[in-house]
């Protein structure tokens, strides 16, 4: 494809969609600075891609002074929306809410406004919409974002490092109170379909048990781990669970209000695990949900740098006229891959990931193996059997 920039001042639009993540503002800043350096104009579409349905209200020009001081700021100066899908735009009708396809309006408005390219910053949902809009003729470049780190095609998404740091600090803090009270503490972190945050923060924070969506757990195995800790006189336990962790044969725990609203909002698995652990093992247990604390506040240095590199690279992709692609980290380089590849499926934690292997080798439970008592002579892995029978 030929470069669209030859001798012409381009007008590009930026949009942030889905749940916010620390580093969004760093992407906006880097993309804007790079574009202005090339002599281009930059606009922001507010509240996700659906902002292009009503650009009179949801379009802002981004001037260099608008991005001053935002490098280290959490959130997004453009606002974002979880339900910003123009292909399934919800309108109220007398018969109740109805979904209509307004993608044609989005394409028309994009052209009417004279934009040359759209940089869409988002996770799997947003980039899926971006891909559909690209197929309808909008020249789009994607930038991978999500604290859940569940996007294919990039080593890591920005926002993830910050979320893991926040969760790890919380686990550190829970240790002292758990130890003082000789309690079991169950902490729920984000991770709808993928357990990256729970795994990384759990291992970094020294958790005793980590529950992730990829490994259905047995509540009795969790209790066994807690009892084992008491037996070896450690007297306190830390369980880290992804919000999307599922008990074996059970279902993901949804918030009641969201169920009534027909929205799949997760939350409550830590409370359930905590209650069951206390009931079954007799160990005094408390639970907490870290929730949106993991998405707020300053990005870490790693996320700022990654977001900056991605934002600037996205503009260079526009300059080269390479659309329908997503910039990505393939350490040590920033590369680009087709959007279609990035949204093929979610990137969940592979069960043979070395962090899981290392965690298991250090005795961290994933709530899947039976506890030492049942394991005796049960035919579980040779090293485990050897350890429990000697
Ligand atoms: O950003 C992804 C995520 O953090 C999920 O882990 C979580 O289920 C979801 O966002 C919650 O987002 P919200 O409360 O904004 O709908």
């Amino acid at each position: 494809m030929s470069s669209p920039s030859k001798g012409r001042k381009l007008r590009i639009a930026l949009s942030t969609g889905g749940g916010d993540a620390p580093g969004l503002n760093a992407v906006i800043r880097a993309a804007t600075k790079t574009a202005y350096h090339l002599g281009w104009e930059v606009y922001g579409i507010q509240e996700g891609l659906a902002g292009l349905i009503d650009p009179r209200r949801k379009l802002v020009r981004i001037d260099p002074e608008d991005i001053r001081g935002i490098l280290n700021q959490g959130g997004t100066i453009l606002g974002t929306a979880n339900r910003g899908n123009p292909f399934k735009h919800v309108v109220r009708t007398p018969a109740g809410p109805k979904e209509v396809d307004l993608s044609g309006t989005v394409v028309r408005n994009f052209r009417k406004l004279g934009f040359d390219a759209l940089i869409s910053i988002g996770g799997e949902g947003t980039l899926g919409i971006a891909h559909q809009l690209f197929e309808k003729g909008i020249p789009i470049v994607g930038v991978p974002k999500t604290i859940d780190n569940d996007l294919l095609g990039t080593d890591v998404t920005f926002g993830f490092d910050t979320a893991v740091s926040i969760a790890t600090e919380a686990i550190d803090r829970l240790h002292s109170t758990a130890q003082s009270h000789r309690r079991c503490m169950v902490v729920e972190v984000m991770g709808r379909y993928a357990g990256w945050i729970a795994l990384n923060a759990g291992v970094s924070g020294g958790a005793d048990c980590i529950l992730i969506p990829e490994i259905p757990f047995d509540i009795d195995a969790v209790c066994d781990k807690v009892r084992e800790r008491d037996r070896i006189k450690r007297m306190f336990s830390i369980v880290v669970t992804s919000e999307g962790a599922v008990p074996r044969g059970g279902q993901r725990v949804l918030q009641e209000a969201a169920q009534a609203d027909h929205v799949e909002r997760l939350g409550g698995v830590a409370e359930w695990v905590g209650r069951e652990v206390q009931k079954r093992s007799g160990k005094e247990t408390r639970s907490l949900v870290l929730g949106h604390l993991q998405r707020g506040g300053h990005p870490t240095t790693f996320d700022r740098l990654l977001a900056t590199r991605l934002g600037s690279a996205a503009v260079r992709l526009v300059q080269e006229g390479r659309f329908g692609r997503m910039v990505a980290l393939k350490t040590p380089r920033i590369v680009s891959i087709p959007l279609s590849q990035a949204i093929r499926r979610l990137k969940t934690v592979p069960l043979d990931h070395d962090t899981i292997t290392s965690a298991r080798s250090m005795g961290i439970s994933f709530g899947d193996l039976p506890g030492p008592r049942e394991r005796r002579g049960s035919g579980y892995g040779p090293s485990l059997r050897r350890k429990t029978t000697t």
Side-chain angles (χ1 to χ4, degrees):
M1 210 178 285
S2 67
S3 162
S5 65
K6 285 204 180 96
R8 207 164 62 78
K9 188 170 175 164
L10 297 201
R11 275 161 83 88
I12 64 165
L14 309 180
S15 159
T16 53
D20 67 345
L24 280 169
N25 280 328
V27 177
I28 295 169
R29 172 182 175 272
T32 304
K33 272 179 161 274
T34 308
Y36 272 98
H37 200 71
L38 291 165
W40 300 357
E41 278 178 5
V42 184
Y43 290 81
I45 301 160
Q46 295 176 311
E47 295 171 28
L49 290 169
L52 272 174
I53 294 168
D54 186 8
R56 270 171 315 164
R57 285 197 305 126
K58 304 249 169 90
L59 188 73
V60 288
R61 197 182 145 117
I62 309 179
D63 287 317
E65 52 270 24
D66 298 321
I67 51 157
R68 270 189 211 131
I70 66 167
L71 172 61
N72 64 354
Q73 298 300 304
T76 158
I77 56 166
L78 295 177
T80 187
N82 275 355
R83 297 191 201 146
N85 187 350
F87 291 89
K88 289 181 178 173
H89 188 73
V90 180
V91 288
R92 286 179 208 284
T93 70
K98 199 178 134 202
E99 282 180 2
V100 287
D101 180 356
L102 293 182
S103 57
T105 311
V106 164
V107 176
R108 268 193 308 281
N109 284 336
F110 180 85
R111 291 195 179 129
K112 228 190 291 172
L113 290 159
F115 288 132
D116 296 284
L118 173 60
I119 294 178
S120 170
I121 311 156
E124 197 249 353
T126 303
L127 295 182
I129 299 165
H131 181 248
Q132 282 179 277
L133 289 174
F134 168 68
E135 293 199 315
K136 289 196 85 149
I138 297 194
I140 289 195
V141 166
V143 179
K145 164 244 63 164
T146 161
I147 66 158
D148 289 357
N149 192 36
D150 56 5
L151 201 61
L152 271 187
T154 182
D155 289 353
V156 70
T157 48
F158 73 83
F160 173 64
D161 185 66
T162 308
V164 170
S165 304
I166 293 168
T168 304
E169 193 196 328
I171 298 166
D172 286 348
R173 287 173 186 273
L174 289 176
H175 265 89
S176 57
T177 173
Q179 194 160 17
S180 308
H181 287 269
R182 303 177 146 221
R183 282 175 180 155
C184 170
M185 301 294 299
V186 186
V187 56
E188 180 173 319
V189 298
M190 281 187 171
R192 182 168 273 269
Y193 306 108
W196 295 107
I197 298 179
L199 178 65
N200 284 23
V203 171
S204 307
D208 305 297
C209 185
I210 300 172
L211 308 177
I212 60 175
E214 293 84 347
I215 305 177
F217 65 91
D218 179 342
I219 191 68
D220 287 322
V222 179
C223 293
D224 277 343
K225 182 68 198 175
V226 172
R227 287 195 200 100
E228 184 191 313
R229 296 267 307 161
D230 279 4
R231 255 198 314 276
I232 61 167
K233 302 283 178 269
R234 296 301 286 133
M235 306 316 287
F236 73 95
S237 294
I238 306 282
V239 179
V240 179
T241 176
S242 304
E243 60 184 349
V246 197
R248 220 179 258 170
Q251 288 185 348
R252 298 191 307 166
V253 183
L254 300 180
Q255 286 177 26
E256 266 174 40
Q259 275 171 328
D261 210 15
H262 303 292
V263 179
E264 263 228 337
R265 202 168 306 139
L266 300 180
V269 65
E271 195 188 332
W272 184 83
V273 168
R275 217 176 27 237
E276 290 300 313
V277 166
Q278 176 148 333
K279 197 164 78 191
R280 292 170 193 232
S281 70
K283 182 78 181 168
E284 190 181 9
T285 303
R286 298 285 189 272
S287 63
L288 73 153
V289 181
L290 284 193
H292 295 80
L293 278 177
Q294 295 156 96
R295 293 209 322 224
H298 302 322
T300 57
T301 308
F302 178 89
D303 278 337
R304 277 183 220 182
L305 180 59
L306 177 60
T308 300
R309 292 172 73 197
L310 292 171
S312 185
V315 172
R316 288 196 296 279
L317 220 53
V318 171
Q319 191 185 16
E320 291 161 14
R322 299 173 71 205
F323 298 113
R325 302 183 71 80
M326 178 187 89
V327 286
L329 177 68
K330 281 272 176 237
T331 309
R333 298 174 55 226
I334 299 291
V335 298
S336 75
I337 60 162
L339 272 172
S340 55
Q341 259 178 40
I343 57 168
R344 224 166 1 106
R345 61 172 175 82
L346 285 171
K347 183 180 75 182
T348 50
V349 181
L351 298 186
D352 62 352
H353 195 285
D354 74 274
T355 309
I356 293 190
T357 311
S358 299
R360 286 198 195 277
S361 336
M362 294 186 303
I364 297 175
S365 165
F366 285 86
D368 54 343
L369 300 177
R373 266 175 305 129
E374 300 103 277
R375 215 157 50 212
R376 254 174 227 136
S378 67
Y380 263 88
S383 56
L384 285 175
R385 241 185 313 161
R386 229 183 357 259
K387 195 176 164 204
T388 51
T389 49
T390 51

